[in-house]
């Protein structure tokens, strides 16, 4: 006859085995992994087929004349093509608001390139310079050293009031001249064709002041330049253009 303690030991063993089956081993809770996909920002939508139409007043003095002329003008900026070369994103434009800064009767829209050299950093190259730079961009043997110049930097996004950018030798100037200054930002409702005027957008005001003149642009991320102003302090040359139509392309 087996000792009673062996009988009780067997009962206790079965009891604890049952408890382990009923109460599973507790493990630390590990949250399921989540994968987030970042949506790329479209700060300056330079898509082929996109266009912006501006309207406003321009004043100028013809060469060798003291007469001041003024006219209401409509000006179109459009992306006629776009391509990439390495990390560079290049938009070929017909027309830009600054074409109107020194207007003359019958003046045609200029040829321009806007080159994004890194995310948010856009350079504007115009007219004959644009043609030369485009030739270099399409030359596969050109490694593109010194392709753009500091003075051609148009936007350095994101924009923040108080931010400055432009030629490296000018960004420390105490008088704020010869560089881009992000002056203010405000919520606005844009009254232009192409999007609902009731939509609110953040609009940034930027200025570039030199000794003889001053230029202002108003910029809305995701749309582009919404207003352009130019004023020369000597011979009369003044322009104020506002966006009246926008088409985002395909």
């Amino acid at each position: 006859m087996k000792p009673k303690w062996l009988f009780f030991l067997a009962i206790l063993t079965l009891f604890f085995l049952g408890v382990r089956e009923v109460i599973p081993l507790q493990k630390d809770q590990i949250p399921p992994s989540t994968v987030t996909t970042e949506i790329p920002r479209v700060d300056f939508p330079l898509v082929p087929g996109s266009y912006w139409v501006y309207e406003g007043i321009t004043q100028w003095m013809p060469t060798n004349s003291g007469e001041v002329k003024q006219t209401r003008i409509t000006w179109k900026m459009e992306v006629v093509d776009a391509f990439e070369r390495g990390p560079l994103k290049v938009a070929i434009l017909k027309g830009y608001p600054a074409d109107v800064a020194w207007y003359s009767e019958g003046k045609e829209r200029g040829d321009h390139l806007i080159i994004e050299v890194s995310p948010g950093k856009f350079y504007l190259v115009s007219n004959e310079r644009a043609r030369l730079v485009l030739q270099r961009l399409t030359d596969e043997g050109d490694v593109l050293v010194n392709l753009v110049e500091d003075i051609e930097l148009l936007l350095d996004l994101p924009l923040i009031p108080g931010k400055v950018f432009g030629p490296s030798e000018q960004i420390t100037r105490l008088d704020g001249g010869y560089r881009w200054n992000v002056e203010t930002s405000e919520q606005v409702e844009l009254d232009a064709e192409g999007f609902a005027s009731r939509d609110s957008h953040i609009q940034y005001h930027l200025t570039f002041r030199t000794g003889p003149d001053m230029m202002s642009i108003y910029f809305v991320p995701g749309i582009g330049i919404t207003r352009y102003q130019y004023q020369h302090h000597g011979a009369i040359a003044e322009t104020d253009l506002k966006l009246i139509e926008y088409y985002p392309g395909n």
Side-chain angles (χ1 to χ4, degrees):
M1 185 174 177
K2 295 181 179 180
K4 289 184 178 181
W5 65 270
L6 289 175
F7 175 77
F8 286 115
L9 179 61
I11 295 297
L12 288 173
T13 301
L14 290 174
F15 173 79
F16 283 113
L17 286 173
V19 169
R20 290 189 64 182
E21 290 180 0
V22 173
I23 305 175
L25 181 65
Q26 297 294 319
K27 296 182 179 180
D28 294 336
Q29 295 296 317
I30 301 176
S33 61
T34 58
V35 178
T36 57
T37 302
E38 183 179 354
I39 300 174
R41 292 167 48 186
V42 183
D43 292 302
F44 203 162
L46 299 169
V47 180
S50 299
Y51 67 80
W52 300 255
V53 179
Y54 303 90
E55 184 179 70
I57 299 293
T58 186
Q59 295 181 325
W60 75 99
M61 294 178 67
T63 305
N64 300 323
S65 172
E67 180 186 6
V68 177
K69 292 194 173 185
Q70 175 177 303
T71 188
R72 176 167 290 276
I73 194 168
T74 300
W75 210 253
K76 184 178 184 180
M77 177 176 76
E78 60 184 320
V79 181
V80 298
D81 200 2
F83 64 93
E84 296 183 9
R85 172 82 189 276
L88 307 180
K89 296 180 180 179
V90 184
I92 302 174
L93 276 65
K94 190 68 176 178
Y96 181 77
D99 293 339
V100 187
W102 287 92
Y103 186 70
S104 60
E105 293 177 347
K107 186 176 184 179
E108 297 184 354
R109 292 182 294 159
D111 298 311
H112 308 272
L113 300 176
I114 292 184
I115 305 171
E116 186 176 11
V117 302
S118 61
K121 205 161 190 173
F122 297 86
Y123 288 77
L124 173 69
V125 185
S126 299
N127 300 320
E128 185 59 31
R129 270 276 299 156
R131 288 184 280 273
L132 294 174
V133 169
L134 185 57
Q135 288 179 0
R136 294 189 60 189
L137 285 165
T138 54
D139 179 358
E140 295 183 359
D142 193 331
V143 296
L144 305 180
V145 175
N146 293 328
L147 182 72
V148 294
E149 301 174 357
D150 278 357
I151 195 65
E152 294 168 332
L153 182 58
L154 174 67
L155 288 168
D156 189 359
L157 306 178
L159 299 175
I160 303 168
K163 183 176 184 178
V164 300
F165 58 91
S168 57
E169 68 273 15
Q170 305 291 355
I171 58 176
T172 55
R173 286 181 66 116
L174 299 181
D175 62 1
Y178 295 86
R179 70 184 186 206
W180 283 107
N181 300 273
V182 184
E183 304 287 355
T184 59
S185 66
E186 61 177 339
Q187 291 282 344
V188 298
E189 294 181 359
L190 299 174
D191 185 13
E193 295 183 25
F195 47 89
S197 60
R198 65 178 177 274
D199 291 345
S200 181
H201 305 272
I202 299 179
Q203 178 175 261
Y204 296 89
H205 177 207
L206 296 83
T207 60
F208 194 105
R209 296 186 296 274
T210 71
D213 59 13
M214 185 178 84
M215 177 170 48
S216 294
I217 63 172
Y218 294 77
F219 184 84
V220 173
I223 294 175
I225 296 172
T226 55
R227 187 176 183 181
Y228 172 87
Q229 295 175 307
Y230 176 81
Q231 182 178 24
H232 188 258
H233 304 315
I236 300 299
E238 293 188 14
T239 295
D240 189 354
L241 299 177
K242 294 181 181 179
L243 182 69
I244 62 169
E245 184 179 351
Y246 167 62
Y247 178 73
N250 299 318

